[in-house]
Amino acid sequence: MKKDFFDDYFDDEDEIEEEPEHKGKTFTKGFLTALGVCLVAIGAAVWTTVNNVHSYLDPPVTIVEEVTSDSDKPDLPKEEARVNATVSGVRSESDTDREVHFNCEPIKNHKIISDYSETPVYNETLGDYRAHTGIDYEAQIDDKVRAMGQGVVTDIYYDDLLGNVVVIEHSKDVSSYYCGLAKTALVQQGDVVSAGDFVGTVYAIPGESAQSAHVHVAVREKGKWVDPKKFMTGKREE
């Protein structure tokens, strides 16, 4: 029965259609899956591109808190910071052009062996004549040298002729120089000193080595060497 029915319905086996076709292409399950994956990929690429363009045109703003803590501020070199602080502290007085007075001898039991002289004098060590721009106080090696007046230690250095030198600024125009000290000073750059404070110990002066042990003290006023006695008061602290 079953066979006869089909035989009657179809005149020829070639007329049997295995599967009806769409007017367009046949879409299989695999094709649709691949198409879905492609659409997802394209969507992701478009989203990324739009997001990047938005970020470029409207970049995010980063809020940085203002540094207010001293510990977060960049540090100056230790010596420079101390000099700036101490010099500015005492210059509140020295910048007013106050008069400078020395009321303390550099060596307690002083004895001047060579005085200040603008006229050239004979230098036994160097074998020539030259001005003596300071005062030499007789001393013993390791004797302590004292500041003649109040001021700030602005420099400590070595000089080929004067040896180790400590410089004290007493005003913006006047500074005193303590020469022939030991390598290790008793003060540091930036220290505020008073008259009578120890600044170093006696050692040697290369340019005056023919003389007995002594300390060479000099004063500069407005950039020129002057007689230290100009600033010495009648009353001295011993």
Side-chain angles (χ1 to χ4, degrees):
M1 270 306 281
K2 196 172 183 180
K3 182 177 181 182
D4 293 341
F5 172 80
F6 281 104
D7 289 341
D8 293 339
Y9 190 80
F10 297 106
D11 295 334
D12 193 334
E13 291 182 0
D14 293 336
E15 295 179 7
I16 301 175
E17 295 183 0
E18 294 180 356
E19 186 178 350
E21 292 184 350
H22 296 280
K23 292 182 180 182
K25 294 183 179 180
T26 301
F27 297 96
T28 65
K29 184 181 293 185
F31 174 80
L32 292 176
T33 301
L35 179 60
V37 172
C38 291
L39 291 176
V40 171
I42 292 172
V46 170
W47 183 87
T48 301
T49 302
V50 171
N51 187 60
N52 289 342
V53 171
H54 176 73
S55 298
Y56 177 78
L57 296 177
D58 188 18
V61 177
T62 302
I63 300 176
V64 180
E65 294 185 1
E66 183 179 357
V67 176
T68 56
S69 173
D70 291 338
S71 61
D72 294 332
K73 295 178 181 179
D75 293 332
L76 289 172
K78 185 178 294 184
E79 289 301 324
E80 181 181 348
R82 178 168 50 181
V83 170
N84 289 345
T86 53
V87 170
S88 62
V90 297
R91 279 187 175 170
S92 58
E93 290 186 34
S94 51
D95 275 349
T96 60
D97 292 328
R98 64 179 177 83
E99 291 187 17
V100 175
H101 298 288
F102 297 152
N103 57 358
C104 183
E105 297 290 346
I107 300 295
K108 187 173 182 180
N109 298 316
H110 73 279
K111 176 184 177 182
I112 296 176
I113 58 177
S114 294
D115 221 329
Y116 173 88
S117 176
E118 294 180 358
T119 302
V121 295
Y122 186 70
N123 184 304
E124 296 181 19
T125 304
L126 303 177
D128 60 10
Y129 287 84
R130 59 181 64 204
H132 190 252
T133 57
I135 297 177
D136 294 341
Y137 289 86
E138 186 178 48
Q140 301 295 321
I141 293 178
D142 292 335
D143 279 353
K144 291 183 177 179
V145 179
R146 301 185 297 175
M148 295 185 292
Q150 177 187 358
V152 180
V153 178
T154 55
D155 204 359
I156 299 175
Y157 65 92
Y158 179 81
D159 182 89
D160 289 339
L161 293 179
L162 298 174
N164 294 302
V165 181
V166 169
V167 182
I168 298 177
E169 182 180 284
H170 303 280
S171 74
K172 66 178 183 179
D173 293 329
V174 180
S175 295
S176 57
Y177 293 69
Y178 304 81
C179 313
L181 306 181
K183 185 176 182 180
T184 302
L186 301 180
V187 290
Q188 298 182 55
Q189 188 178 12
D191 285 352
V192 177
V193 297
S194 300
D197 287 350
F198 296 124
V199 299
T201 56
V202 176
Y203 184 62
I205 301 177
E208 298 177 354
S209 59
Q211 297 175 240
S212 58
H214 65 282
V215 62
H216 178 98
V217 177
V219 173
R220 287 178 76 89
E221 181 181 26
K222 296 182 179 180
K224 296 182 179 181
W225 297 113
V226 297
D227 191 344
K229 290 180 179 178
K230 174 180 179 180
F231 303 99
M232 294 179 178
T233 62
K235 184 179 179 180
R236 306 273 203 274
E237 290 184 3
E238 295 296 341

